Amino acid sequence: MTAPRVLLADDHGAIREGLRIMLESHGIDVVGEAADGVVAVRNARALRPDVVLMDLRMPGMDGVEATRQIVAEGCGDVLVLTSFDEQELVADALTAGAVGFLLKTVDAPSLVAAVHSVANGDGVLDPRITRRALGLIPRSAPDGEASPTASGGRPEADAVAAAGLTDRERGVLETLGEGLSNAEIAARLGISLTTVKTHVSNVLGKLGARSRAHAAALARTRR
């Protein structure tokens, strides 16, 4: 298996060095570094990494704007790694197109696993910011009216009930809530990887979720 190629974006040199040592010791190829958003965008354009490990608060162009530009230009998938978990930052990062959000207190095995997941086309969400991510899910039916209350008044779960998912799509949503990768979903449900990707895309669209991480968080409210 080809090692994921990672670009590190953090304004603290000691943190970048620590991340480089840790990731490379686990077989991950760190192809570049950046101390601010401008350099992160420039290096992402030049290096085309599989994953950009992005801090959010940096001088000059911050990580949110850098994420927006990198994603818009298709220069790599962005996995946020930050010390801050405020609702606004979570919202801004995921809206900008980040496919994962982790706090810097994450342990090394979990970070390595997250990098591999993102490089393989999946998303990751730190369990500690799930509640904040839930706040980003639309809380009304598509027509703007209040959602039904079949779930007993939980608006996030009501959004699922109002989304009109097929039985297969509901099954895919459940597997997203379990944190399964696309390959694992394909094996679980006995369908092809291409079909999984199609179903995931449909689920996101029907739920109005901005990312796979949002859908996974929403799925957990149904349990």
Side-chain angles (χ1 to χ4, degrees), residues 58-133:
M58 296 185 289
M61 181 189 293
D62 65 17
V64 172
E65 180 57 31
T67 294
R68 184 174 292 110
Q69 293 190 26
I70 289 168
V71 172
E73 296 181 25
C75 298
D77 286 328
V78 176
L79 171 58
V80 170
L81 182 65
T82 183
S83 300
F84 307 97
D85 63 348
E86 292 95 332
Q87 177 85 10
E88 183 177 357
L89 276 179
V90 175
D92 289 347
L94 296 180
T95 301
V99 296
F101 196 111
L102 297 177
L103 299 179
K104 285 183 177 177
T105 50
V106 66
D107 58 43
S110 297
L111 178 58
V112 170
V115 169
H116 279 284
S117 291
V118 170
N120 289 331
D122 297 316
V124 294
L125 181 66
D126 194 305
R128 290 165 292 184
I129 62 112
T130 297
R131 183 178 295 276
R132 291 168 177 79

Side-chain angles (χ1 to χ4, degrees), residues 1-76:
M1 182 180 297
T2 303
R5 301 173 66 256
V6 175
L7 171 65
L8 304 176
D10 195 294
D11 60 330
H12 295 289
I15 291 178
R16 295 197 308 275
E17 180 63 20
L19 287 171
R20 175 183 285 274
I21 292 171
M22 186 268 289
L23 293 174
E24 289 182 341
S25 71
H26 286 81
I28 292 173
D29 185 12
V30 178
V31 297
E33 299 182 13
D36 59 55
V38 171
V39 177
V41 173
R42 183 169 68 236
N43 287 353
R45 288 169 177 160
L47 299 169
R48 299 284 169 165
D50 299 308
V51 181
V52 181
L53 204 54
M54 181 75 73
D55 190 17
L56 292 181
R57 291 186 173 170
M58 296 185 289
M61 181 189 293
D62 65 17
V64 172
E65 180 57 31
T67 294
R68 184 174 292 110
Q69 293 190 26
I70 289 168
V71 172
E73 296 181 25
C75 298

Side-chain angles (χ1 to χ4, degrees), residues 137 173 176-177 203-204 207 209-220:
I137 302 292
L173 178 61
L176 291 177
V203 168
L204 296 185
L207 291 177
R210 294 183 177 89
S211 73
R212 183 190 185 98
H214 288 171
L218 184 56
R220 296 183 188 118

Side-chain angles (χ1 to χ4, degrees), residues 95-207:
T95 301
V99 296
F101 196 111
L102 297 177
L103 299 179
K104 285 183 177 177
T105 50
V106 66
D107 58 43
S110 297
L111 178 58
V112 170
V115 169
H116 279 284
S117 291
V118 170
N120 289 331
D122 297 316
V124 294
L125 181 66
D126 194 305
R128 290 165 292 184
I129 62 112
T130 297
R131 183 178 295 276
R132 291 168 177 79
L134 286 173
L136 309 180
I137 302 292
R139 297 187 175 220
S140 60
D143 61 3
E145 298 298 325
S147 300
T149 57
S151 64
R154 291 180 300 159
E156 296 90 353
D158 293 340
V160 176
L165 301 181
T166 65
D167 288 342
R168 176 63 81 188
E169 288 165 352
R170 283 195 292 272
V172 169
L173 178 61
E174 289 298 328
T175 61
L176 291 177
E178 294 177 37
L180 300 188
S181 67
N182 284 348
E184 290 169 333
I185 295 172
R188 167 80 67 83
L189 301 180
I191 57 180
S192 71
L193 191 58
T194 299
T195 301
V196 171
K197 292 178 180 178
T198 298
H199 284 315
V200 169
S201 178
N202 290 342
V203 168
L204 296 185
K206 289 183 178 182
L207 291 177

